[in-house]
Amino acid sequence: MHSLRERLLAQLLTAEGFVSGAEISQKLDISRGAVWKHIQALRREGFVITGSTRRGYRILSVPDLLLPSVILPVLTSDFGRPYYFYQTVSSTNDVVRELAYAGAPQGAVVAAEEQTGGRGRRGRSWYSPRGGLWFSLLLRPQVSPAQSQTLPLFVSLMVVKGIEKLLGITLDLKWPNDILLGGRKTGGVLVELGAEAEQVHYAVAGIGINVNVTSFPPELEKEATSLGIYAGRRVDRARLLAGILSSIETGYPCWCREGFAPFREAYKGRLSFLGRQITVRTAGGEVLTGIAADVDTDGRLLLSSPAGKQRWLHGGEVKVREGILI
Ligand code: BTN
């Protein structure tokens, strides 16, 4: 269901030039005065709209913010509805978890311009300044907790596909769910589950992409980059968010039905280190070195040692040897 504001914006955004107040009022079935009030509200949000009594209204620029009024008109999926926006929040994953408890539907999204307590995997903090894309998606998959282990891998693949489709660039993945550009970290996925032994109640898929972040703190400088730095221009975050949500939504029914198997080859095709010697710090803290040989349908990484020993790993942190640390 599109709100009046969304429909008004859609009309202005798709028009070639000016749209008259009379035309808007007729299409939306509201008075000319009500049209004017909506226009004023949009201007207060940062839309630059020129108006002339003779010709009507025309949008000159859209604010570079993830406001509902900016996102909803470009959204092509059901994922993203309902949509909640914050200027500053501690972590969008926390807000979505609260929404999940309160009974929010699958597809609900929370996005923020900045996070003060952004979280990464393995208890690390996640640098989340303005200019990035920090959001969380609520999913309610009717799958076993075992299958849900592959959700982070599936989501990271679909995020990569969404970015690639919009920007026409090629990204890599680092097992299990780091997103890389030219060997540097550009994004990550943090899935947090609400589950019991037999049943998943909800999953919060937290997605962080360095989009127009222009600088990083010293400890991240060498290993991080952003889409904007790589592309050499500002990237439209609203269209990126819409594209990523649509990409996840497209693959999601298949993942729910069939698990990771149908996505495994595409995922492996984007793994930057497959067939190379790597060092992995396992979830249990062990440090192992070997050849990254495969990823199976359960999302496990196969590490084989030169002596022919094989270990299937569930989670961990990969470092690639030969002097390159990714
Ligand atoms: C990682 O690579 O360690 C995962 C990073 C995930 C960051 C995102 S940003 C939106 C959401 N909110 C959080 O606090 N974390 C995730």
Side-chain angles (χ1 to χ4, degrees), residues 90-94 115 117-122 124 126 128 133-136 177-178 185 187-190 205-209:
S90 104
S91 160
T92 54
N93 267 32
D94 292 345
Q115 298 183 114
R119 283 198 301 280
R121 288 177 56 240
R122 298 164 79 84
R124 279 192 288 245
W126 180 259
S128 323
L133 183 55
W134 325 123
F135 71 100
S136 303
N177 41 12
D178 283 353
K185 184 144 172 173
V189 172
L190 175 70
I207 295 156
I209 318 279

Side-chain angles (χ1 to χ4, degrees), residues 125-279:
S125 67
W126 180 259
Y127 179 61
S128 323
R130 287 180 174 270
L133 183 55
W134 325 123
F135 71 100
S136 303
L137 164 69
L138 175 59
L139 297 170
R140 295 188 180 277
Q142 297 192 345
V143 302
S144 66
Q147 183 177 329
S148 68
Q149 297 300 316
T150 65
L151 185 57
L153 285 78
F154 160 74
V155 170
S156 55
L157 173 66
M158 300 321 276
V159 169
V160 160
K161 283 189 163 196
I163 300 173
E164 288 180 343
K165 190 169 170 196
L166 190 80
L167 299 184
I169 56 175
T170 306
L171 293 111
D172 290 321
L173 284 164
K174 190 176 82 166
W175 180 85
N177 41 12
D178 283 353
I179 296 167
L180 308 179
L181 201 44
R184 288 171 176 239
K185 184 144 172 173
T186 317
V189 172
L190 175 70
V191 172
E192 295 176 320
L193 292 179
E196 285 174 82
E198 296 297 317
Q199 202 191 348
V200 174
H201 295 295
Y202 66 85
V204 179
I207 295 156
I209 318 279
N210 302 328
V211 184
N212 297 318
V213 177
T214 50
S215 63
F216 294 91
E219 66 276 16
L220 297 178
E221 224 169 36
K222 281 208 184 78
E223 59 188 63
T225 191
S226 71
L227 298 178
I229 292 173
Y230 189 84
R233 64 179 166 88
R234 279 191 85 74
V235 172
D236 184 336
R237 291 181 307 148
R239 288 194 190 277
L240 195 66
L241 173 56
I244 290 173
L245 288 173
S246 154
S247 175
I248 300 174
E249 184 175 281
T250 305
Y252 183 69
C254 178
W255 176 81
C256 286
R257 259 191 338 265
E258 298 171 46
F260 188 55
F263 302 96
R264 180 175 164 225
E265 285 311 316
Y267 178 90
K268 280 171 57 179
R270 285 175 172 81
L271 278 189
S272 51
F273 57 73
L274 213 58
R276 289 170 67 186
Q277 178 153 320
I278 60 167
T279 299

Side-chain angles (χ1 to χ4, degrees), residues 63-128:
D64 182 16
L65 290 172
L66 302 168
L67 292 161
S69 50
V70 175
I71 300 302
L72 295 174
V74 294
L75 208 59
T76 53
S77 56
D78 287 333
F79 283 3
R81 293 174 194 278
Y83 177 79
Y84 302 91
F85 167 76
Y86 291 82
Q87 286 288 352
T88 305
V89 83
S90 104
S91 160
T92 54
N93 267 32
D94 292 345
V95 183
V96 168
R97 195 181 42 220
E98 279 163 27
L99 286 171
Y101 282 135
Q106 169 162 285
V109 164
V110 171
E113 289 297 328
E114 60 178 349
Q115 298 183 114
T116 51
R119 283 198 301 280
R121 288 177 56 240
R122 298 164 79 84
R124 279 192 288 245
S125 67
W126 180 259
Y127 179 61
S128 323

Side-chain angles (χ1 to χ4, degrees), residues 30-64:
I30 55 174
S31 69
R32 298 278 292 273
V35 172
W36 188 79
K37 275 193 189 146
H38 281 293
I39 297 282
Q40 288 298 86
L42 288 170
R43 282 175 172 150
R44 280 195 298 275
E45 285 189 354
F47 287 84
V48 180
I49 303 173
T50 180
S52 117
T53 24
R54 238 174 7 92
R55 294 190 292 173
Y57 302 102
R58 180 179 185 172
I59 289 204
L60 297 182
S61 76
V62 173
D64 182 16

